[in-house]
């Protein structure tokens, strides 16, 4: 993604980015949809039957301290912390397409639109298309956590129209944390480096390291 963005700026183009967040992604995995999409890969019947057995009549409960709820049979979702969880979600989003750059990593989907100086944006159309495709797989996009970021070339002054999702204008942000990396509209690393240094300092201070190791880092 960074390569696409930097290349666009080098060519005096601007970039419009949409960071899509799915509501309770792993809790909304529809078993029938996963099986249907797996069958489209023409996988061996043994694997399909094994996965059906894995998903069928799974139960879960909530434990707080010594108190536990009753067991509930799941009609969907993937077991949290399982190796198959992220894999099955990848199967769900594998066929998502857009008329712009699309990057997918488990439950993080990012749309990138590269625009010339006077070119009109079609990101709303791309968003509506992704919403429609996601709904077909019973996945819901979270309008509150889905964010827009714009990286503008110096010669583009005209603002884009707001992006609308579920009747609400999406928030524009100057920085966004994606896969542990803080990306900013300037494509500089100040925010990311400052955040990482702050975390490192707190961990060192909370550990049992001697002052000889702590002080040089704080001074630096």
């Amino acid at each position: 993604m960074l390569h696409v963005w930097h290349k666009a700026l080098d060519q005096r183009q601007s970039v419009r980015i949409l960071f899509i967040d799915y509501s309770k992604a792993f809790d909304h995995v529809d078993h029938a949809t996963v099986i249907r999409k797996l069958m489209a890969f023409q996988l061996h019947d043994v694997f399909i039957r094994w996965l059906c057995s894995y998903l069928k009549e799974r139960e879960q409960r909530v434990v707080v301290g010594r108190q536990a709820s009753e067991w509930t049979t799941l009609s969907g979702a993937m077991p949290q912390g399982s190796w198959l969880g992220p894999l099955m979600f990848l199967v769900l989003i594998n066929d998502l397409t857009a008329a712009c750059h699309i990057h997918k990593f488990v439950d993080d989907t990012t749309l990138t639109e590269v625009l010339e100086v006077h070119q009109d944006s079609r990101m709303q159309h791309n968003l509506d298309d992704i919403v429609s495709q996601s709904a077909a797989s019973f996945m819901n996009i979270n309008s509150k956590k889905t964010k827009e970021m714009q990286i503008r070339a110096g010669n583009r002054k005209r603002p884009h129209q707001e992006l609308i999702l579920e009747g609400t204008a999406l928030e524009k942000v100057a920085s966004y944390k994606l896969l542990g990396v803080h990306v900013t509209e300037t494509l500089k690393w100040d925010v990311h480096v400052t955040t990482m240094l702050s975390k490192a300092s707190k961990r060192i201070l909370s550990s049992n390291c001697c002052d000889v190791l702590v002080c040089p880092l704080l001074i630096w």
Side-chain angles (χ1 to χ4, degrees):
M1 285 185 288
L2 285 171
H3 175 75
V4 172
W5 301 341
H6 279 288
K7 182 179 179 181
L9 290 186
D10 288 343
Q11 297 176 353
R12 307 300 295 168
Q13 298 167 318
S14 63
V15 182
R16 195 175 195 185
I17 306 164
L18 189 61
F19 302 103
I20 296 176
D21 182 90
Y22 285 100
S23 301
K24 298 182 178 179
F26 292 97
D27 292 337
H28 288 173
V29 173
D30 181 70
H31 294 171
T33 301
V34 168
I35 298 301
R36 175 175 55 81
K37 292 190 175 187
L38 281 172
M39 292 176 66
F41 292 137
Q42 298 183 344
L43 298 173
H44 198 286
D45 288 345
V46 171
F47 175 76
I48 300 296
R49 291 198 300 270
W50 175 82
L51 186 64
C52 288
S53 177
Y54 175 77
L55 296 175
K56 184 179 179 182
E57 297 180 354
R58 294 199 68 91
E59 296 183 329
Q60 72 176 25
R61 65 176 179 174
V62 177
V63 178
V64 179
R66 297 183 178 180
Q67 301 297 318
S69 68
E70 297 294 329
W71 287 99
T72 299
T73 302
L74 300 178
S75 58
M78 291 298 298
Q80 294 289 335
S82 66
W83 183 84
L84 283 174
L87 179 62
M88 291 303 99
F89 199 85
L90 286 174
V91 171
L92 274 180
I93 67 172
N94 181 67
D95 56 356
L96 282 181
T97 59
C100 61
H101 294 281
I102 180 170
H103 296 89
K104 296 171 282 187
F105 184 84
V106 192
D107 58 339
D108 289 299
T109 298
T110 304
L111 301 184
T112 297
E113 184 182 43
V114 178
L115 299 166
E116 300 294 341
V117 177
H118 301 295
Q119 184 180 356
D120 291 328
S121 171
R122 288 181 54 82
M123 186 60 89
Q124 182 65 59
H125 173 78
N126 296 330
L127 172 59
D128 294 341
D129 195 20
I130 290 294
V131 169
S132 177
Q133 293 178 61
S134 300
S137 296
F138 302 99
M139 298 185 297
N140 301 316
I141 297 178
N142 189 336
S143 59
K144 293 183 179 179
K145 292 186 177 181
T146 296
K147 308 293 182 182
E148 175 191 356
M149 189 169 73
Q150 297 179 15
I151 304 174
R152 297 185 181 183
N155 54 349
R156 185 180 182 95
K157 304 298 182 182
R158 186 175 56 174
H160 298 298
Q161 280 190 323
E162 291 184 324
L163 296 176
I164 306 298
L165 178 60
E166 297 177 350
T168 303
L170 297 181
E171 181 186 1
K172 298 184 180 68
V173 295
S175 66
Y176 187 85
K177 184 179 179 182
L178 180 64
L179 302 177
V181 178
H182 295 266
V183 182
T184 69
E185 61 184 358
T186 61
L187 292 184
K188 294 182 178 179
W189 294 99
D190 306 55
V191 174
H192 182 74
V193 172
T194 300
T195 303
M196 293 299 102
L197 282 175
S198 176
K199 284 187 176 181
S201 298
K202 289 178 181 178
R203 290 181 181 180
I204 291 176
L205 289 172
S206 63
S207 69
N208 294 323
C209 294
C210 63
D211 292 342
V212 175
L213 295 177
V214 175
C215 291
L217 175 60
L218 295 180
I219 294 172
W220 178 79

